[in-house]
Amino acid sequence: MSTKSYNSTNFVSSSNEVDWSAVINCTNTDDAWSNFKENFMNVLDKHAPSKEIRIKQRSKPWMTSELIGLIKQRDKYISSFKRTNRQTDYDQYLVVRSKVRYMKDKAKSSYFVNTINENTNQSKKVWSILNDLGTKSKCKTQFSRIGLLIINVLCFDKSKVADHFNTFFTTVADSLVAKLSSPSGRFGIVHVTNFYRTRNVAENSFGLSMVSEEHVYEILESVSPHKATGLDHSPARFLKDGASAIVVPLTYIINLSISTGVIPDDLKMARVLYTRNTAKMLPETIDQCQFSVLFQRSSSVLSVNN
């Protein structure tokens, strides 16, 4: 997003002008969220529009300042020729282009010769250099595909493998608990039930409280503007800046979600990264959207119905 012309005051002003009735009049959580997201992103695109950026590739190690200068000179001549159609510019372009090709080949050759000579006794480094050069391995053996054994059948289908992993991680806790023997003594069901009964905590007495606008506003104000952008592509900075304008529709959506027991589908998504830890694949990082984190923090307070 481009924030070159961004002004937080103008952003808040535009957010206040939005008619949030399309959100507040919804009785469906997903519809309310969709209406809010559409209006919020429209305002955001107006003040901080998305832009395409070009990521330059890292310069090759054999590139020299002299060679880069010649390349710029070559590009300058061809650009001038396309603009003016002068033959002299094109002639100069051909001359400089030949110099670029010659110096590039010479610099590349010198780099690889010198680097290989410096690493003669390090075969791994030499092969790495040869791979950069484009030398193909003489080994014709193809790497075998790695599959997953599912119900005694070796599976290579990526979707089925992903579904199997998902099923495993979502059911592993219940599966392990089912294998445990019934606890006794102070950890038995009778002792635990009596413990909570003496504290006036009965079965099914816990519930999520409705949240207030003040509570949601406090959370929005506490959001760090330096947080990384999540899956919703909404930087945390704009949630903090527009807190006063979006607190009413957001509070309504959170309370609607609590009362209906339905969480918007967008807020259920997260990017889970697995890292290899010895022989296990364990989830390490969860990347969620900023609004999803807001929902979690807003509804994290439990109430006891005596």
Side-chain angles (χ1 to χ4, degrees):
M1 292 183 176
S2 174
T3 57
K4 183 178 181 180
S5 303
Y6 174 74
N7 182 283
S8 59
T9 304
N10 294 336
F11 175 69
V12 174
S13 178
S14 296
S15 299
N16 284 323
E17 294 173 359
V18 176
D19 182 10
W20 299 107
S21 60
V23 177
I24 298 175
N25 292 332
C26 277
T27 56
N28 180 281
T29 309
D30 282 305
D31 292 341
W33 168 253
S34 296
N35 291 333
F36 169 80
K37 184 178 179 181
E38 181 180 359
N39 287 323
F40 181 78
M41 294 306 295
N42 286 339
V43 175
L44 189 57
D45 289 339
K46 177 181 177 182
H47 293 274
S50 300
K51 67 174 183 178
E52 293 184 0
I53 59 173
R54 180 183 176 185
I55 302 177
K56 296 182 179 180
Q57 294 182 348
R58 185 178 297 176
S59 298
K60 298 297 183 181
W62 58 81
M63 294 291 287
T64 62
S65 57
E66 184 180 2
L67 181 55
I68 293 174
L70 280 174
I71 291 174
K72 291 180 178 179
Q73 190 177 2
R74 177 202 63 188
D75 296 342
K76 180 180 179 181
Y77 280 125
I78 192 61
S79 297
S80 178
F81 170 73
K82 291 178 179 179
R83 188 174 60 255
T84 63
N85 204 31
R86 286 199 300 261
Q87 185 61 36
T88 53
D89 288 334
Y90 187 73
D91 293 339
Q92 288 294 331
Y93 161 73
L94 294 178
V95 173
V96 179
R97 186 184 66 175
S98 298
K99 289 183 180 180
V100 169
R101 289 178 176 175
Y102 171 75
M103 290 192 63
K104 184 178 180 180
D105 291 340
K106 183 179 179 181
K108 189 175 181 179
S109 175
S110 299
Y111 167 78
F112 281 111
V113 169
N114 294 334
T115 308
I116 291 175
N117 289 336
E118 292 173 0
N119 298 275
T120 305
N121 298 325
Q122 301 181 41
S123 59
K124 187 175 181 180
K125 180 67 175 177
V126 171
W127 277 111
S128 176
I129 297 169
L130 293 176
N131 288 333
D132 292 339
L133 186 60
T135 304
K136 295 183 179 180
S137 172
K138 295 181 179 180
C139 179
K140 297 182 180 180
T141 305
Q142 295 183 351
F143 291 104
S144 60
R145 294 184 299 164
I146 300 176
L148 183 68
L149 194 64
I150 303 177
I151 314 178
N152 298 324
V153 177
L154 194 59
C155 179
F156 296 96
D157 185 276
K158 294 181 179 179
S159 298
K160 292 182 179 179
V161 170
D163 288 339
H164 187 74
F165 270 114
N166 181 63
T167 302
F168 172 78
F169 283 111
T170 54
T171 61
V172 63
D174 292 335
S175 300
L176 292 175
V177 170
K179 296 178 181 179
L180 296 176
S181 58
S182 299
S184 59
R186 63 182 303 178
F187 298 105
I189 186 65
V190 176
H191 181 83
V192 172
T193 302
N194 292 333
F195 173 82
Y196 284 109
R197 184 177 291 124
T198 57
R199 287 159 177 78
N200 297 322
V201 179
E203 187 178 0
N204 299 324
S205 63
F206 285 95
L208 288 173
S209 301
M210 293 295 179
V211 297
S212 65
E213 292 180 7
E214 291 76 14
H215 180 57
V216 175
Y217 181 79
E218 182 181 345
I219 294 175
L220 286 170
E221 280 290 300
S222 66
V223 171
S224 172
H226 305 295
K227 282 284 187 181
T229 303
L231 296 178
D232 55 356
H233 304 295
S234 300
R237 170 185 181 181
F238 302 111
L239 271 68
K240 186 180 180 70
D241 288 350
S244 60
I246 65 177
V247 63
V248 173
L250 271 180
T251 303
Y252 175 80
I253 295 173
I254 294 171
N255 286 332
L256 180 63
S257 178
I258 293 173
S259 62
T260 59
V262 178
I263 299 175
D265 290 337
D266 283 354
L267 305 185
K268 297 177 184 178
M269 295 187 292
R271 184 183 295 113
V272 182
L273 305 180
Y274 289 89
T275 57
R276 186 174 298 279
N277 182 6
T278 62
K280 301 179 181 179
M281 291 292 286
L282 301 175
E284 181 185 68
T285 305
I286 300 180
D287 182 16
Q288 298 172 304
C289 67
Q290 294 297 332
F291 286 107
S292 179
V293 176
L294 173 65
F295 264 60
Q296 293 175 24
R297 294 181 60 187
S298 298
S299 57
S300 61
V301 180
L302 291 172
S303 67
V304 181
N305 302 319
N306 294 322

